[in-house]
Amino acid sequence: MSLTGGLATIGALTLVLHLLKLTWRCWCGFREFFLSEIWQVDLKSYGQWAAVTGATSGIGKAYATELARRGLDVVLISRSVDKLQMVAKEIEAQYGRKTHTIQADFTDGHSIYPAISEGLQGLEIGILVNNVGMGYSDEFAYFLEPAQSEQKITQVINCNVLSVAQMTRLVLPGMVERRKGLIVNVSSEVASRPQPLLSLYSATKIFVTYLSKGLHAEYKSKGITVQCVAPFMVSTNMTHNLPVNRLVKSSSDFAREALNTVGHSLHTSGCLSHALQHSALMLLLPDWFCTSSFLIRRMQKFAKLGACDRTETEKKKA
């Protein structure tokens, strides 16, 4: 075979390989976001109860509500007793499901888990949603800028990192014994790459991603599914309740679509809109640009403008 013929063969094989890879990704996306609308896993098959952390607002409340709508009883875990009781009453009245509430402040560290363990005793936890999380700053900020940074660092790690590992430790033995269970860990799009001005938050979320992938590999043979959900912008208190549009999802719509992906994807953006945004960012923004001084300056300017807009809005409301 001539050199030209050999190079042509290699080029043809490379093209075929890329086409196969693209075809597979398209099929996975179609299955994850379109086929899942009509072909869904029966979540009741995992067990009677679902436990959700950070369940009184935002994505956590939306997951708890959607799980109840799909026929599960729900354990609500959060720090506000009043909000827990309110959400529990809403779920019981609207869907007729049992609820159980556990008060816990996940920023307090390891001391809270014996009480949570006691609260879960006797309940068949088939699904765990590790949703609770908090940001390091309300705006884009350098690592040293937030007030009381020493305390805040510990709180963020306790809430975003320790909670995922410890809650998994509490429910996993029962799942292994029954050889059935689902753990949903909520990560974030900012875990896709290092994110300046959100450094600590993005680092905690990549922990969630890696832990999820490792745990699934360890326990899939025992009937346990561990899914990582990495959303982009969802309208919640953490995102200052951004207006819902084609790019920003409401928490209820996001939870519904994300739960549809169970059984179809182990690592998901949760919805088609966020998946497309993720693909566009990964394609158009190289890693060097995402950590460039230019982008950091633009992010700071954007944060200041956003803060000014919110201040003006609050003044008008007052």
Side-chain angles (χ1 to χ4, degrees), residues 67-317:
L67 286 164
R69 188 184 73 83
R70 299 192 188 198
L72 285 95
D73 299 327
V74 185
V75 180
L76 307 166
I77 311 174
S78 194
R79 65 181 177 180
S80 170
V81 174
D82 291 340
K83 289 182 179 179
L84 282 168
Q85 293 175 346
M86 180 178 67
V87 174
K89 289 179 181 178
E90 288 178 7
I91 289 175
E92 290 172 359
Q94 189 168 1
Y95 299 108
R97 305 307 308 178
K98 298 178 185 176
T99 62
H100 180 66
T101 62
I102 301 176
Q103 190 277 329
D105 186 342
F106 286 96
T107 65
D108 287 344
H110 69 276
S111 62
I112 66 173
Y113 294 99
I116 295 177
S117 177
E118 183 177 348
L120 295 175
Q121 288 296 317
L123 301 179
E124 182 188 79
I125 306 298
I127 299 175
L128 168 65
V129 180
N130 279 313
N131 160 78
V132 70
M134 63 180 291
Y136 182 55
S137 172
D138 290 337
E139 309 291 346
F140 295 124
Y142 280 83
F143 183 67
L144 294 178
E145 284 184 348
Q148 299 179 318
S149 59
E150 179 180 2
Q151 178 185 10
K152 200 67 176 291
I153 289 168
T154 300
Q155 290 177 335
V156 170
I157 292 174
N158 284 342
C159 189
N160 296 6
V161 174
L162 185 64
S163 68
V164 179
Q166 291 287 12
M167 288 301 302
T168 300
R169 175 186 64 84
L170 292 180
V171 305
L172 194 54
M175 293 179 175
V176 171
E177 183 179 350
R178 296 189 303 273
R179 301 191 67 81
K180 192 76 171 178
L182 169 65
I183 298 173
V184 177
N185 294 328
V186 179
S187 180
S188 171
E189 173 63 29
V190 299
S192 299
R193 290 185 286 201
Q195 182 61 68
L197 306 186
L198 291 172
S199 299
L200 182 61
Y201 181 75
S202 67
T204 62
K205 289 303 182 178
I206 196 60
F207 169 87
V208 175
T209 299
Y210 280 6
L211 181 66
S212 301
K213 292 181 178 181
L215 286 175
H216 181 78
E218 291 177 19
Y219 287 95
K220 61 183 178 181
S221 63
K222 302 181 186 299
I224 314 300
T225 298
V226 183
Q227 183 192 53
C228 181
V229 179
F232 207 86
M233 301 302 289
V234 179
S235 181
T236 66
N237 292 336
M238 185 179 288
T239 59
H240 306 291
N241 297 302
L242 287 168
V244 175
N245 53 47
R246 292 183 179 181
L247 301 180
V248 180
K249 301 291 289 188
S250 69
S251 56
S252 56
D253 284 345
F254 178 80
R256 179 186 61 79
E257 293 183 41
L259 276 172
N260 286 348
T261 69
V262 171
H264 299 283
S265 178
L266 295 174
H267 186 276
T268 178
S269 296
C271 64
L272 179 60
S273 169
H274 290 183
L276 293 175
Q277 291 176 69
H278 168 78
S279 297
L281 289 174
M282 297 302 289
L283 179 65
L284 300 176
L285 298 182
D287 289 348
W288 64 264
F289 181 75
C290 292
T291 55
S292 66
S293 297
F294 170 79
L295 185 60
I296 291 173
R297 289 194 297 269
R298 300 302 298 176
M299 290 169 66
Q300 283 183 300
K301 185 176 181 180
F302 176 79
K304 290 177 181 178
L305 290 174
C308 290
D309 289 342
R310 281 191 294 276
T311 300
E312 289 298 321
T313 301
E314 289 172 0
K315 287 181 179 178
K316 290 179 181 178
K317 289 181 179 180

